[in-house]
Amino acid sequence: MEHADMRRKLSAYLENAVTDEEKAEIKSHLGSCGTCRGAIADLEMTVGYLKTLPDIEPPPWLTAKIMAKIREKSAPKMTLWRRLFFPLYIKLPIEAVALVFLCVTGLYLARTIGTQAPIITPSHIPQHTTEPPSAAAPTAPIPQGRIRSAQPGKPLPPPTVSAPVPQQPELEPEAAPERPRGEMPEPELRPADEGTMMEREAPLPTKEEKSAPMETLKRAKKGPARDELPLSGGVPAEKGEITLTVDDPAAAGGAIEEAVIRLGGRVNGHSYSEDSHLLIIRIAAQKVTTLLDRLERIGAVQERPHIPKGAVGTVDLTIRW
Amino acid sequence: MNDDRQNTPDEDSVLVASWRQGELAAFESLVEKYQKRMLNIAYRITGDYEDACEVAQDAFVAAYRGIESFRGAARFSTWLTSITLNLSRNRLQKVQAKRRNEAYSLDGTAHDEDCGPVRERPSSAPSALEQLEMRTIHEKLKECINALSVEFRETIVLRDMQDFSYGEICSILNVREGTVKSRLFRAREMVRECMKRAVGEV
């Protein structure tokens, strides 16, 4: 064995981890090689130091902590229900979907209520409650059919005198469940109470009766609120009617309403059905011309209202298309 | 060095058998028996007490979960040591990678108050000077061990500090005996050289 080989074996020789043959050979070499004797002495001392390195003590809580982890691991698994709903990676998407659903619902509601908002103004309603039904009947036939549809099979008596206004608060809540919530007849047609309205609507054409369920007539306030509105406020100086011909009747409603609102007008009611669209508005008399210009952009104005020049105050207009 | 070294493998086998049958107390006995040894192995490999505490915990948890893979061919302590060494190696690599990515700090290693090193006092009572000298040597020795690459470090730890036999070291490290002897020789030589530079002639 060469000197270098001897040096490599010294470590094992130190621990008697060499064969007897190697042991004898190394022993013989150490007798003649001072370098290897020094090397083995150094190795012995190094190993001695290594063995004297003190052990570190475990912290007192180590066993308890290990066993706590073990018990946690060996705990019975969660039920299917808990596994489905407790982990965050499942819970988060569910919550996200729920949030989106809430947002969409909220947006839908906000938009729905937003379109009704202009109607929820009290000033126009009381005026109509005092009007005689016979005067208003010819001007707005569309809502009548719809309202009548609430009791389609009921024979209607001939027109009678409208009930007095103060009876409305008692009568309206009873009549309310019979018709869709939020519906409102055209202001001019609306009688003092449901009973008289039904009576007056009897002679309407059959065609309107058939189409009535499809119509949607919206109003802002229910009956009892009408009595709270001022009777004298906001009486228009003039009334008129505008007839339009539009390419897309269904889409025109929004544009017309927007034009009215942009001109400071107010939508008092609307009735959109498949074959007939009607919008009742109130607008400043000075703005009527501008409104007609705007409506010309939406469709062809067939019939214009007869508003005298220099008229002041507000005008109630019925727009049909 | 370690009192648990005197326990016979048969005792471990009985405890392992009970543990396999679901007796948590048997596993707890094994934890109490080997936690110090595993902690020391992890400490010598990682060089950090806090890391060693974590590694020791992880090792026992891994052993608990992997009991099915323990066939009983090797001793339980050998199997547990190989788990601890693997985890220590992984921890060391992570720490070294982290240090490479971080700016060098002049502050010393911060120790958790809960996990500060608890040193075992020697049974004999040397003089204060001797204690100081020995402490200095131990500090230097620790630095020299930490300077070794992991394969030399683990060989010297297993043989010179934990007194595993060559055969056990072969089983733990999954290498041949010749490799163990060679690594041990080189590791000891490197430590000797390091100590010479650190405190003069050893």
Side-chain angles (χ1 to χ4, degrees):
Chain A
M1 227 176 351
E2 296 292 322
H3 172 77
D5 293 332
M6 294 283 181
R7 281 293 298 270
R8 268 195 291 274
K9 300 261 181 205
L10 286 181
S11 174
Y13 172 78
L14 204 63
E15 298 176 309
N16 209 14
V18 289
T19 60
D20 290 343
E21 193 182 331
E22 286 172 334
K23 193 176 177 181
E25 208 172 341
I26 292 166
K27 204 171 183 179
S28 161
H29 177 75
L30 286 174
S32 60
C33 180
T35 316
C36 283
R37 275 201 305 276
I40 201 167
D42 283 353
L43 263 178
E44 210 166 359
M45 196 172 287
T46 306
V47 173
Y49 278 131
L50 284 168
K51 287 188 186 296
T52 60
L53 263 179
D55 276 355
I56 54 166
E57 289 296 318
W61 45 260
L62 189 59
T63 305
K65 201 161 183 181
I66 290 167
M67 291 314 294
K69 284 187 177 182
I70 296 298
R71 285 191 184 95
E72 193 181 314
K73 301 278 178 193
S74 60
K77 288 185 178 178
M78 286 191 292
T79 62
L80 180 66
W81 182 259
R82 283 167 68 91
R83 266 187 284 171
L84 273 176
F85 289 98
F86 273 47
L88 209 59
Y89 62 89
I90 292 177
K91 207 162 64 172
L92 274 181
I94 291 173
E95 287 174 354
V97 169
L99 187 66
V100 169
F101 175 75
L102 282 175
C103 289
V104 169
T105 310
L107 188 68
Y108 172 76
L109 288 174
R111 293 182 82 173
T112 308
I113 293 167
T115 54
Q116 290 180 348
I119 311 171
I120 312 175
T121 47
S123 60
H124 71 286
I125 299 176
Q127 169 215 350
H128 304 300
T129 57
T130 56
E131 284 179 7
S134 58
T139 59
I142 292 172
Q144 296 166 351
R146 182 195 48 72
I147 293 170
R148 188 140 36 94
S149 69
Q151 294 174 327
K154 183 180 176 182
L156 297 173
T160 57
V161 179
S162 296
V165 173
Q167 290 180 1
Q168 278 186 343
E170 290 94 37
L171 293 174
E172 283 286 328
E174 293 170 9
E178 295 179 8
R179 64 181 188 189
R181 183 186 175 92
E183 67 182 73
M184 183 190 74
E186 184 187 349
E188 282 92 351
L189 284 176
R190 187 166 44 72
D193 61 57
E194 292 285 334
T196 55
M197 176 161 41
M198 302 306 284
E199 291 163 4
R200 184 164 39 81
E201 287 164 0
L204 287 174
T206 312
K207 182 186 174 187
E208 289 188 0
E209 285 181 27
K210 287 177 183 172
S211 64
M214 302 297 293
E215 293 179 73
T216 55
L217 183 63
K218 296 180 180 177
R219 50 158 297 187
K221 290 244 177 199
K222 290 188 206 172
R226 292 175 202 160
D227 292 336
E228 297 165 16
L229 304 175
L231 293 173
S232 58
V235 177
E238 298 290 341
K239 294 182 180 177
E241 208 166 304
I242 301 171
T243 306
L244 278 173
T245 307
V246 295
D247 294 333
D248 184 359
I256 296 169
E257 284 186 26
E258 191 185 346
V260 170
I261 291 164
R262 280 179 182 276
L263 289 172
R266 192 172 60 205
V267 177
N268 286 342
H270 65 250
S271 167
Y272 298 154
S273 66
E274 286 180 352
D275 53 354
S276 166
H277 298 76
L278 181 134
L279 191 67
I280 300 157
I281 66 161
R282 177 171 292 180
I283 192 165
Q286 298 91 327
K287 301 273 186 178
V288 172
T289 315
T290 317
L291 176 65
L292 287 167
D293 291 342
R294 299 258 172 111
L295 293 178
E296 287 283 6
R297 295 178 203 165
I298 298 166
V301 177
Q302 302 294 332
E303 184 185 342
R304 290 172 174 270
H306 303 289
I307 308 295
K309 285 192 175 181
V312 291
T314 57
V315 181
D316 272 357
L317 293 175
T318 304
I319 305 172
R320 300 170 190 277
W321 67 93
Chain B
M1 189 176 274
N2 293 292
D3 46 5
D4 53 50
R5 315 301 297 274
Q6 306 308 318
N7 292 303
T8 59
D10 288 338
E11 188 188 333
D12 288 357
S13 302
V14 171
L15 288 171
V16 169
S18 302
W19 162 26
R20 279 186 198 274
Q21 286 168 4
E23 271 189 45
L24 218 56
F27 182 75
E28 193 166 358
S29 299
L30 289 166
V31 171
E32 283 169 353
K33 184 173 168 182
Y34 287 111
Q35 61 172 354
K36 182 177 176 182
R37 194 174 185 189
M38 297 307 127
L39 179 73
N40 274 277
I41 291 169
Y43 178 63
R44 293 301 170 202
I45 301 297
T46 61
D48 182 81
Y49 190 81
E50 202 175 332
D51 284 342
C53 289
E54 292 284 330
V55 167
Q57 290 173 58
D58 293 348
F60 280 105
V61 172
Y64 183 85
R65 295 173 75 176
I67 185 62
E68 296 303 322
S69 67
F70 176 58
R71 303 289 175 201
R75 291 166 63 180
F76 174 74
S77 60
T78 310
W79 180 67
L80 186 62
T81 303
S82 64
I83 294 174
T84 307
L85 264 182
N86 279 332
L87 292 173
S88 302
R89 239 178 263 141
N90 293 343
R91 179 63 65 113
L92 182 67
Q93 282 168 1
K94 276 184 192 171
V95 170
Q96 285 173 341
K98 197 177 171 187
R99 278 182 194 154
R100 277 196 294 271
N101 294 331
E102 283 178 358
Y104 181 72
S105 169
L106 289 175
D107 300 332
T109 313
H111 283 291
D112 194 305
E113 282 185 10
D114 242 8
C115 201
V118 184
R119 305 207 175 271
E120 193 179 53
R121 287 192 170 275
S123 55
S124 58
S127 68
L129 191 63
E130 282 173 334
Q131 278 186 30
L132 185 66
E133 191 180 310
M134 193 53 85
R135 198 177 298 163
T136 309
I137 288 173
H138 286 160
E139 285 300 316
K140 297 295 175 189
L141 203 53
K142 189 186 163 193
E143 286 171 18
C144 290
I145 293 166
N146 289 347
L148 296 175
S149 58
V150 72
E151 66 267 23
F152 295 117
R153 198 185 303 187
E154 60 196 15
T155 314
I156 214 168
V157 167
L158 291 176
R159 179 68 197 137
D160 290 338
M161 295 181 210
Q162 296 299 327
D163 286 333
F164 280 103
S165 70
Y166 280 94
E168 285 173 323
I169 296 171
C170 292
S171 174
I172 291 166
L173 299 179
N174 201 23
V175 293
R176 290 181 305 148
E177 190 171 317
T179 310
V180 173
K181 285 180 180 174
S182 167
R183 282 184 187 176
L184 196 58
F185 163 71
R186 290 188 61 190
R188 285 168 173 169
E189 282 289 305
M190 282 188 272
V191 171
R192 186 179 64 86
E193 288 297 321
C194 174
M195 287 297 285
K196 260 187 181 177
R197 286 195 303 273
V199 291
E201 192 72 28
V202 176

